[in-house]
Amino acid sequence: MTTTLDQPPVQTPGPEPRRVQSGLLDPKLLLTSLPGAVKKLDPRVMVRTPVMFVVEVGSVVSTVFAIVDPSVFSIVVAVWLWLTVVFANLAEAVAEGRGKAQAETLRRTKTETVARRVTGEEVPATALVPGDLVVVEAGQLIPGDGDVVEGVASVDESAITGESAPVIRESGGDRSAVTGGTRVLSDRIVVKITAKAGESFIDRMIALVEGASRQKTPNEIALNILLASLTIVFLLAVATLQPFAAFAGASQPLIVLVALVVCLIPTTIGALLSAIGIAGMDRLVQRNVLAMSGRAVEAAGDVTTLLLDKTGTITLGNREATEFLAVGGVSPAEITGAAQLSSLADETPEGRSIVALAGGHVEPPAGVVFVPFTAETRMSGVDLGDRQIRKGAASAVLKWIGGSPSAEVGSIVDTISASGGTPLVVAEKVGDGPARALGVIRLKDVVKSGMRERFDELRRMGIRTVMITGDNPLTAKAIADEAGVDDFLAEATPEDKMRLIRAEQEGGKLVAMTGDGTNDAPALAAADVGVAMNSGTSAAKEAGNMVDLDSDPTKLIEIVEIGKQLLITRGALTTFSIANDVAKYFAIIPAMFVTAYPSLDTLNIMRLHSPQSAIVSAVIFNALVIVALIPLALRGVRYTPSSASAMLRRNLLVYGLGGLIVPFVGIKLIDLVVQFVF
Ligand SMILES: Nc1ncnc2c1ncn2[C@@H]1O[C@H](COP(=O)(O)OP(=O)(O)OP(=O)(O)O)[C@@H](O)[C@H]1O
Ligand SMILES: [K+]
Ligand SMILES: [Mg+2]
């Protein structure tokens, strides 16, 4: 096969890159989101946010009141209560709106393509079902999601990643998954379709960025329940206030009671909660990470252990054969021939590189039976009549031979391993005779650059990194040392990987895993945060709950930051919201009862103009604070690596104390304006 991978990529006029937007709120977005915010006034939508539903009911009650007993006061209160609900919906609509543009770009990728089956038959891409085999050649769009089962090609994935550099996709290894709608730039591949039309990766991406598939996380549900309980408590408190007020001869008009309830219940966080969650998912999309579940994003904020697969995750993953080393009097030609023969049908990158090093492809002899590589056996090879050849991990092949390795094999294997290379022992068995080692193949792999710094950063965030690999302990140690991970597990089978995760989780820890291979799939599924590399296999992408379009294992640092930021933002705004309401209490209660109890005037520390202006100011402040906090909810509170207690102290100070003070200033300022009306 000829590859043209070093040719400059064909420039396709694809959609523009997606990483365009800044974290700041575009005022235009507030306007364009307004219709959506009004639409959300539908009570069936509102009930999902109990706090804001109560405000909506209050708005209806006060509107009726304002119609029956019109006055400037009642009309102003009714209008501002409605605005409170609209502002809350606006926060959610704005958060959702940011994904809409992205969804549009993605939709343009979903052009009608024609698929060519291996049989030559041409069908519309929508007619493809999982299992179908299609041929895609240079210049053509890949008609559906699948795995490359034959060939190597460079693919332009800019439509989904926004990254213009082409990527290599090949059969056999851990870089086999292709996405429908991306373009093959060179060569010819056969793709086995894995996704039904309508359930493709791009379809899922669109649903995700539009927020269509968003479900409340357990944490959000718990917080909503807490907020609803607080709301009930305040409702009861205000309801029982009236008899006392009546007793004191200061019976309050209904609209004042409604205003009081709205000011006391946690409307700020109730209004922003959903926007905070959507914005978190959106921030991930901005960094080319697709999170399939909000729960995983939150879990990322509390992760304590990160497991990484070695080959293709910490290393570049194109493990290439660089040398054949014969042992025990075997001739160089003999080991080269055996290595080549055993790899003729080995579609893994390792297998192909062995054939290439041995001089290229030759026709296999008649009657040969190939034994494919599996992660469990860690061997591959051929059976040729009564002659068997195997190559694979030293421990596996030596077990197959039965017996301990010769000193010569042992020392070659150890030397290769100690340098971070992967030794593959080649052995042969003829008839019933004893098996013997023929030599060792040296596979070379390179640690990706910048790993050590990134792992240091994870350590500062309190996260332990563990590399898990199917490779031998010596190679594993060499690579682990070079990359700077905290720990490693070698000779791990897919089950071992999963067991390690379960063991870590048993202690109540949250575990993240990044991987790309089919052998990583069980572990990716078991992890709390399973990040599959986009370059990996379909099985891995299916099993994880996040996909990194950039296939960068250290992306987890950003994922963790975004998760932490989400949790901190939610906590900070909850603190602010509740502190805020306490302050409003002091604005309204004295105003309500000052005529009955003139001594209460000492509580009126803000020296507000009149009881009516005090209530109106509190209601207006309550609504405006929601709008003022939308940018913070969308952008998130800044996260800097520090201890959890230091962070808590800081947030209590800023958002707790701030929440107490800001309303006094805000309500006073509004009162200075409002006093001219009353
Ligand atoms: N094509 C092959 N034929 C024979 N043996 C192989 C082949 N590819 C890999 N091996 C051996 O099997 C071992 C396990 O491979 P596997 O792909 O499961 O893990 P890995 O890629 O080394 O590690 P990781 O789990 O980090 O990706 C390798 O270390 C190597 O010794
Ligand atoms: K409130
Ligand atoms: Mg692997």
Side-chain angles (χ1 to χ4, degrees), residues 292-605:
M292 307 305 170
S293 92
R295 182 204 287 252
V297 182
E298 288 177 355
D302 286 330
V303 155
T304 51
T305 315
L306 167 61
L307 308 180
L308 306 105
D309 148 73
K310 172 177 78 76
T311 313
T313 304
I314 292 180
T315 64
L316 292 175
N318 50 349
R319 222 168 12 187
E320 281 192 349
T322 55
E323 206 179 347
F324 299 127
L325 300 148
V327 295
V330 172
S331 75
E334 206 177 334
I335 169 75
T336 305
Q340 184 185 35
L341 185 56
S342 67
S343 304
L344 285 176
D346 185 353
E347 273 284 345
T348 65
E350 290 85 353
R352 270 200 302 268
S353 77
I354 292 169
V355 173
L357 184 68
H361 195 81
V362 291
E363 268 317 301
V368 13
V369 178
F370 290 103
V371 181
F373 168 74
T374 69
E376 279 81 14
T377 60
R378 292 190 285 141
M379 285 198 302
S380 58
V382 284
D383 290 350
L384 196 69
D386 65 349
R387 183 175 174 219
Q388 296 175 300
I389 305 176
R390 293 291 181 273
K391 68 167 197 289
S395 58
V397 174
L398 293 171
K399 207 164 116 209
W400 181 75
I401 293 175
S404 50
S406 70
E408 195 187 3
V409 172
S411 102
I412 294 178
V413 164
D414 287 353
T415 313
I416 295 176
S417 302
S419 72
T422 297
L424 291 188
V425 175
V426 184
E428 179 191 61
K429 193 188 274 184
V430 183
D432 290 334
R436 63 177 185 131
L438 300 176
V440 185
I441 306 169
R442 178 204 291 268
L443 298 176
K444 193 176 128 236
D445 200 357
V446 176
V447 173
K448 291 180 182 171
S449 65
M451 284 293 155
R452 180 171 285 280
E453 295 72 24
R454 303 286 274 170
F455 289 137
D456 287 345
E457 203 175 329
L458 279 165
R459 202 168 299 118
R460 277 197 299 279
M461 295 166 92
I463 296 170
R464 195 169 71 97
T465 49
V466 183
M467 180 185 91
I468 34 179
T469 174
D471 231 326
N472 73 75
L474 264 180
T475 306
K477 181 165 182 350
I479 299 283
D481 286 347
E482 193 184 336
V485 287
D486 294 325
D487 204 354
F488 67 88
L489 177 73
E491 289 179 344
T493 62
E495 290 70 37
D496 291 337
K497 295 186 181 187
M498 199 173 68
R499 225 170 294 140
L500 181 64
I501 290 188
R502 295 247 187 268
E504 292 271 338
Q505 284 170 331
E506 230 132 76
K509 288 186 194 157
L510 291 183
V511 180
M513 156 95 194
T514 47
D516 61 351
T518 302
N519 58 349
D520 300 321
L524 284 170
D528 300 285
V529 183
V531 187
M533 304 290 102
N534 188 45
S535 61
T537 58
S538 297
K541 284 161 79 174
E542 211 44 62
N545 46 25
M546 293 190 197
V547 175
D548 177 26
L549 296 176
D550 298 330
S551 305
D552 171 7
T554 65
K555 191 63 79 65
L556 205 97
I557 294 174
E558 283 151 78
I559 298 175
V560 168
E561 277 176 2
I562 291 171
K564 283 195 191 296
Q565 209 183 21
L566 176 77
L567 298 178
I568 297 169
T569 306
R570 195 185 284 155
L573 289 182
T574 305
T575 312
F576 184 88
S577 183
I578 290 170
N580 215 312
D581 295 335
V582 172
K584 270 172 263 174
Y585 195 77
F586 286 95
I588 297 192
I589 297 287
M592 279 171 72
F593 295 106
V594 77
T595 30
Y597 302 103
S599 63
L600 265 183
D601 199 43
T602 47
L603 268 182
N604 183 7
I605 45 178

Side-chain angles (χ1 to χ4, degrees), residues 12-19 101-111 141-142 155-167 179-183 201-202 205-206 288 290 534 549:
T12 44
E16 65 271 21
R18 294 181 305 107
R19 266 171 293 190
Q102 254 156 10
E104 262 324 297
T105 313
L106 286 170
R107 278 223 174 78
R108 267 183 273 144
T109 322
K110 280 173 56 85
T111 40
L141 281 176
I142 297 172
V155 178
D156 173 6
E157 293 201 336
S158 61
I160 54 164
T161 60
E163 186 60 58
S164 58
V167 292
T179 309
T182 59
R183 189 180 297 276
F201 194 60
I202 291 199
M205 262 182 90
I206 292 174
N288 269 350
L290 303 182
N534 188 45
L549 296 176

Side-chain angles (χ1 to χ4, degrees), residues 194-215:
T194 52
K196 268 194 260 172
E199 290 172 19
S200 72
F201 194 60
I202 291 199
D203 289 313
R204 271 158 59 195
M205 262 182 90
I206 292 174
L208 195 79
V209 295
E210 282 193 325
S213 56
R214 201 184 103 85
Q215 276 172 342

Side-chain angles (χ1 to χ4, degrees), residues 51 55 260-268 577 580-581 584 622:
V51 181
V55 182
L260 181 62
V261 169
V262 171
C263 286
L264 294 186
I265 63 177
T267 45
T268 316
S577 183
N580 215 312
D581 295 335
K584 270 172 263 174
N622 192 51

